[in-house]
Amino acid sequence: MALKIMKLAITANSTVDTTPTVERFFNEPASTVVGAGTLTIAVGDFFTDTGAAATTLPALATDNSYFNVYVNGVLQMEDLLAYTSGGTGVGQLVITVPAGSTIEQNSPVVLVVTNFTPTSDTTIVT
């Protein structure tokens, strides 16, 4: 008999679901911020999709989340942003406004937080 590699006869089928939870928060700054400066928006200064005042900013799930910030409809660079989540009444978004840049009074600031809850199922048949 000729030599051959012996291997297991196994099949596997996997199903992976990524279930996103998207939360949006809105703010209109009460005054113009001229760079170099910062705009700090506390959780209580945001309102939600329903128009209600926000009471908490969601935690970011490790390796399964991200947040985006739009100022006047334009996506902002990550290095200009600092997001702090928290329980009721805690949390904030800080936007660093570089020299030569301005956030005008009443410009819409939109914070979008996306967390994923992945699940997987693998069936192995031998």
Side-chain angles (χ1 to χ4, degrees):
M1 177 174 175
L3 296 176
K4 65 179 185 177
I5 299 294
M6 304 300 289
K7 56 185 175 180
L8 298 175
I10 297 177
T11 59
N13 294 313
S14 293
T15 303
V16 177
D17 292 316
T18 57
T19 307
T21 300
V22 179
E23 296 180 68
R24 289 178 289 271
F25 302 90
F26 305 88
N27 177 270
E28 294 175 325
S31 60
T32 298
V33 180
V34 178
T38 57
L39 172 60
T40 301
I41 307 170
V43 64
D45 294 330
F46 281 108
F47 54 96
T48 66
D49 275 329
T50 65
T55 57
T56 185
L57 292 178
L60 296 172
T62 304
D63 297 327
N64 281 313
S65 62
Y66 65 91
F67 72 95
N68 286 325
V69 174
Y70 300 83
V71 175
N72 210 23
V74 179
L75 181 63
Q76 299 303 302
M77 297 176 180
E78 182 179 1
D79 284 351
L80 298 176
L81 310 169
Y83 173 78
T84 306
S85 62
T88 303
V90 179
Q92 66 181 13
L93 173 68
V94 178
I95 303 172
T96 300
V97 181
S101 295
T102 302
I103 297 178
E104 299 292 337
Q105 177 181 1
N106 295 323
S107 295
V109 175
V110 180
L111 166 64
V112 181
V113 179
T114 304
N115 279 294
F116 294 94
T117 309
T119 58
S120 64
D121 182 48
T122 300
T123 303
I124 300 173
V125 180
T126 59

